[in-house]
Amino acid sequence: MLNKIMMSGRLLTEPAVTTKDDLRYCKFSIAVDQPKQKGIDAVETDTFTCLAFDDNANAVSFLYSKGGTITFVGSLRNAPDNTAVIIVEELHFQNRFAVKVDVNSEQIF
């Protein structure tokens, strides 16, 4: 069975890393435009909940902010409340993107 999904959308929430029982994760929501239909000017959007773990969580929190565009590959999973959650497995960068820089961290990307 294959469970892969590629998404590109705008972040609806500010990503932040949370640590619980030695598990680092970043939970965020994205809005993805549906394909534009012929003769209809309005574009509908779908909202998805996403989870990134460990290094991916740190990268999402460091490189992206609310309103920015994110592109990633992941897998679709069921949450305990029977909603769909996308698990981020790979981050993909476009040629142009804005980077949040923390000058106190001395971390260079």
Side-chain angles (χ1 to χ4, degrees), residues 14-76:
E14 190 67 37
V17 176
T18 304
T19 303
K20 183 178 181 183
D21 300 328
D22 294 331
L23 179 67
R24 288 188 335 259
Y25 67 93
C26 179
K27 184 176 181 179
F28 58 96
S29 297
I30 62 169
V32 179
D33 292 340
Q34 293 179 0
K36 191 172 181 180
Q37 295 181 6
K38 203 174 204 178
I40 299 175
D41 290 334
V43 177
E44 298 286 327
T45 59
D46 294 316
T47 303
F48 298 96
T49 301
C50 307
L51 278 172
F53 294 95
D54 300 322
D55 290 338
N56 283 338
N58 291 337
V60 169
S61 176
F62 184 77
L63 296 172
Y64 298 96
S65 58
K66 183 178 178 179
T69 302
I70 186 170
T71 301
F72 60 87
V73 174
S75 58
L76 196 58

Side-chain angles (χ1 to χ4, degrees), residues 3 51 75-87:
N3 182 1
L51 278 172
S75 58
L76 196 58
R77 305 280 173 87
N78 281 330
D81 61 354
N82 267 349
T83 59
V85 174
I86 300 170
I87 306 298

